[in-house]
Amino acid sequence: MNPVRWTVRPEDPRGTDRAAVRRIVEAAFPTTAEADLVDALREDPGAWLPGLSWVVSDTQDPDAGPVGHALVTRCRVGGEPVAALAPCSVLPDLQGRGAGTAVIEAVLAAARDAGERLVLVLGHAGYYPRFGFRPASGLGIRAPFEVPDEAMMALVLDGPVPSGLIAYPPAFGV
Ligand SMILES: CC(C)(COP(=O)(O)OP(=O)(O)OC[C@H]1O[C@@H](n2cnc3c(N)ncnc32)[C@H](O)[C@@H]1OP(=O)(O)O)[C@@H](O)C(=O)NCCC(=O)NCCS
């Protein structure tokens, strides 16, 4: 894979990337639920973390604009503020070529730089361990709903980290 194939950057805080992000998320998932989730999180100042919504574009086709997106927002574990990675989206035609890896690595690095200590993700156990995620249960962290143990994962950026029950912002509807 060409290491300079992908260009990553934070979403423009002036809002100029919003429509592109919505298109990407709508295209990546079967329903608009995840795109609606992103929009609802944007409207929640208790959840949205400025600088932790990142986009990726094709370095060789910059005029095409963003083709992928990864979002980190605020949630809580045991009442303490931590972060959650969700959703991650790449346009279907461009999936499997490293864009997702590039934008996820970028948003996680930005979360670390912003002082976040712990990032949670609910996702495929075959994908997220490559970023360092491990089952959250090993840290004594529990989801507020039934979920396979290996699907709820946590990445420690800077320990020690809290344990206990996860509380998501209202936008997640859980
Ligand atoms: C998940 C997603 C963001 C990854 O982006 P991507 O650009 O396709 O991923 P990359 O090219 O960087 O990485 C490809 C690897 O991811 C794996 N992968 C991609 N989607 C996967 C999934 N849903 N489950 C398991 N593995 C997946 C591929 O098998 C491949 O593995 P390999 O490197 O061992 O061959 C993208 O595929 C996507 O938008 N999928 C649909 C939406 C979704 O399911 N999002 C995740 C839940 S929030």
Side-chain angles (χ1 to χ4, degrees), residues 119-148:
V119 184
L120 303 172
V121 70
L122 176 59
H124 201 284
Y127 187 55
Y128 292 99
R130 70 188 66 194
F131 305 103
F133 285 93
R134 299 290 178 265
S137 59
L139 296 166
I141 295 171
R142 305 186 313 279
F145 41 77
E146 283 292 317
V147 59

Side-chain angles (χ1 to χ4, degrees), residues 28-29 87-90 94-101 124 126-128 130:
F29 289 91
C88 303
S89 321
V90 170
L94 292 172
Q95 289 177 9
R97 300 184 198 179
T101 298
H124 201 284
Y127 187 55
Y128 292 99
R130 70 188 66 194

Side-chain angles (χ1 to χ4, degrees), residues 46-68:
W48 192 258
L49 296 171
L52 296 186
S53 175
W54 279 61
V55 294
V56 56
S57 53
D58 188 338
T59 308
Q60 293 151 13
D61 191 8
D63 292 345
V67 300

Side-chain angles (χ1 to χ4, degrees), residues 14-128:
R14 295 167 297 182
T16 54
D17 293 316
R18 284 187 191 186
V21 167
R22 175 139 189 129
R23 274 197 301 277
I24 294 163
V25 183
E26 282 186 351
F29 289 91
T31 75
T32 59
E34 282 78 10
D36 293 342
L37 170 63
V38 173
D39 286 342
L41 288 166
R42 274 185 203 290
E43 300 307 317
D44 180 357
W48 192 258
L49 296 171
L52 296 186
S53 175
W54 279 61
V55 294
V56 56
S57 53
D58 188 338
T59 308
Q60 293 151 13
D61 191 8
D63 292 345
V67 300
H69 172 250
L71 180 63
V72 166
T73 56
R74 174 69 64 229
C75 67
R76 288 180 183 271
V77 165
E80 299 292 321
V82 303
L85 172 65
C88 303
S89 321
V90 170
L91 291 177
D93 287 355
L94 292 172
Q95 289 177 9
R97 300 184 198 179
T101 298
V103 75
I104 291 168
E105 284 180 347
V107 78
L108 293 175
R112 179 183 278 113
D113 289 348
E116 295 298 329
R117 303 168 81 82
L118 179 75
V119 184
L120 303 172
V121 70
L122 176 59
H124 201 284
Y127 187 55
Y128 292 99

